[in-house]
Amino acid sequence: MEATSALSCQSCSWIGIKRSGRRRGRDLRFPLGFGDGRMLQNVSLRASPAAEASHQSRSVELRISSCFKKNEESKSLHLGVDEALILKGKSEDVIPYLNERCIYLVGMMGSGKTTVGKILAEVLGYSFFDSDKLVEQAVGMPSVAQIFKEHSEAFFRDNESKVLRDLSSMHRLVVATGGGAVIRPINWRYMKHGVSVWLDVPLEALARRISAVGTESRPLLHNEPGDPYTKALMRLSALSEERGDAYANADARVCLQNIASRQGNGDVSGLTPIAIAIEALTKIESFLTKDSAPGRLSYLKSS
């Protein structure tokens, strides 16, 4: 088996492994930003001689031809290739258990639901939707911030519930929900048609992310006083108090702090979206393969 792919990683926006036409091989594809600061010239997956002789493709040798600025970047590439292969393998493990059910990503604003959701959709062969974008399209307005300003948060939430209701009748979707979608029990009833996954990110990390890009698109933060980081952290802390029990109702929890600790680095900012996606698939598999899911409806029953 041989598959060769010449890639410019800086322009790639997808990830996965797929067959190369009639050739018995697969192309390895990487996510947006994977090649920042380096240039990947060639990736080749080639079967070992023993596997070729027996017409099997289980034993694979990975050969990489690249040009780097630093040795550290070469190490980073190898780690990234490993993550991509692990992600693909994990997706193949999970797909039979999903049985075409949708995946709903929940979490605070800035938690990476869209980025991780697109990776999951690509590797699973699903379609990706952002519920906020669907609400914007439904009401004919360009942003959630403008909907809040010209109508109200309640108006937005009503339309958000309608969008989730419509999505709940579909299959093979990854849906990135808005940060506040969890506050309405009716939304959980829609999401229980699929599998819900909470991306749990430390508040300090969220505040850094949001303050770095600005709060203009965050209607619940934009009018708060103070410097961007402080007002983001204070408001996120209040929202976390309000929504903590609701987020915990998700079928699976992906705790970024736990992933960073296992990697020997307490800073979640060093985690790649692929590593988070791998953890999400692992948690989904664990939920789908266990006999019961105690506590799943606790929030619904108490609301």
Side-chain angles (χ1 to χ4, degrees):
M1 176 184 72
E2 181 176 353
T4 303
S5 174
L7 305 173
S8 173
C9 286
Q10 293 179 357
S11 64
C12 293
S13 60
W14 28 250
I15 178 168
I17 303 176
K18 69 174 184 178
R19 294 193 180 279
S20 302
R22 295 183 178 179
R23 303 175 69 187
R24 298 183 61 190
R26 292 179 181 270
D27 296 327
L28 185 61
R29 305 186 296 169
F30 296 87
L32 180 65
F34 178 82
D36 290 350
R38 64 185 76 88
M39 181 173 67
L40 177 65
Q41 293 180 327
N42 188 273
V43 177
S44 176
L45 279 76
R46 189 185 306 271
S48 67
E52 288 179 347
S54 61
H55 303 288
Q56 297 176 352
S57 59
R58 291 289 184 182
S59 178
V60 177
E61 175 185 353
L62 179 64
R63 296 182 179 180
I64 303 175
S65 171
S66 356
C67 161
F68 299 97
K69 294 179 182 178
K70 301 177 182 178
N71 290 335
E72 290 79 2
E73 291 179 348
S74 177
K75 180 179 179 181
S76 177
L77 172 64
H78 285 284
L79 291 174
V81 170
D82 288 343
E83 282 188 338
L85 292 171
I86 292 169
L87 178 69
K88 182 60 180 177
K90 180 55 66 177
S91 72
E92 292 174 347
D93 292 340
V94 171
I95 285 173
Y97 296 107
L98 274 171
N99 196 27
E100 300 193 344
R101 277 174 285 192
C102 296
I103 296 171
Y104 297 91
L105 299 179
V106 302
M108 296 285 283
M109 62 182 78
S111 59
K113 298 184 293 290
T114 296
T115 301
V116 174
K118 288 180 178 179
I119 292 175
L120 290 174
E122 176 66 32
V123 78
L124 292 170
Y126 276 28
S127 298
F128 173 80
F129 286 102
D130 182 318
S131 67
D132 282 354
K133 297 297 182 185
L134 293 177
V135 173
E136 291 167 2
Q137 294 171 16
V139 302
M141 302 190 78
S143 69
V144 173
Q146 187 173 346
I147 296 172
F148 271 56
K149 181 179 179 180
E150 296 192 15
H151 294 281
S152 65
E153 180 178 355
F155 176 84
F156 172 81
R157 298 296 174 204
D158 289 342
N159 282 277
E160 179 178 57
S161 293
K162 292 176 183 177
V163 163
L164 291 173
R165 177 198 63 198
D166 294 341
L167 292 174
S168 69
S169 65
M170 303 178 187
H171 301 282
R172 297 175 60 83
L173 305 179
V174 176
V175 180
T177 67
V182 297
I183 64 178
R184 288 194 171 186
I186 187 63
N187 293 341
W188 283 108
R189 292 189 175 92
Y190 296 141
M191 290 190 287
K192 76 175 183 178
H193 289 279
V195 180
S196 54
V197 181
W198 173 23
L199 299 188
D200 184 9
V201 185
L203 297 181
E204 293 80 5
L206 288 177
R208 286 194 297 269
R209 291 181 188 178
I210 292 171
S211 61
V213 299
T215 60
E216 290 79 5
S217 63
R218 309 289 183 180
L220 295 181
L221 296 180
H222 188 48
N223 295 323
E224 295 288 322
D227 66 276
Y229 174 81
T230 300
K231 70 179 183 180
L233 182 58
M234 291 181 63
R235 184 58 174 145
L236 288 169
S237 297
L239 289 172
S240 180
E241 286 291 326
E242 295 171 10
R243 301 171 179 174
D245 290 342
Y247 287 132
N249 184 63
D251 298 319
R253 176 190 177 209
V254 175
C255 178
L256 270 65
Q257 192 64 65
N258 289 347
I259 305 173
S261 297
R262 289 201 304 269
Q263 292 186 359
N265 181 5
D267 185 4
V268 300
S269 65
L271 296 176
T272 67
I274 302 179
I276 299 168
I278 291 170
E279 182 77 357
L281 289 174
T282 301
K283 295 294 186 178
I284 290 170
E285 181 182 26
S286 177
F287 169 75
L288 293 175
T289 55
K290 65 185 179 181
D291 294 333
S292 61
R296 182 185 182 198
L297 300 178
S298 59
Y299 175 71
L300 298 179
K301 293 177 180 177
S302 62
S303 300

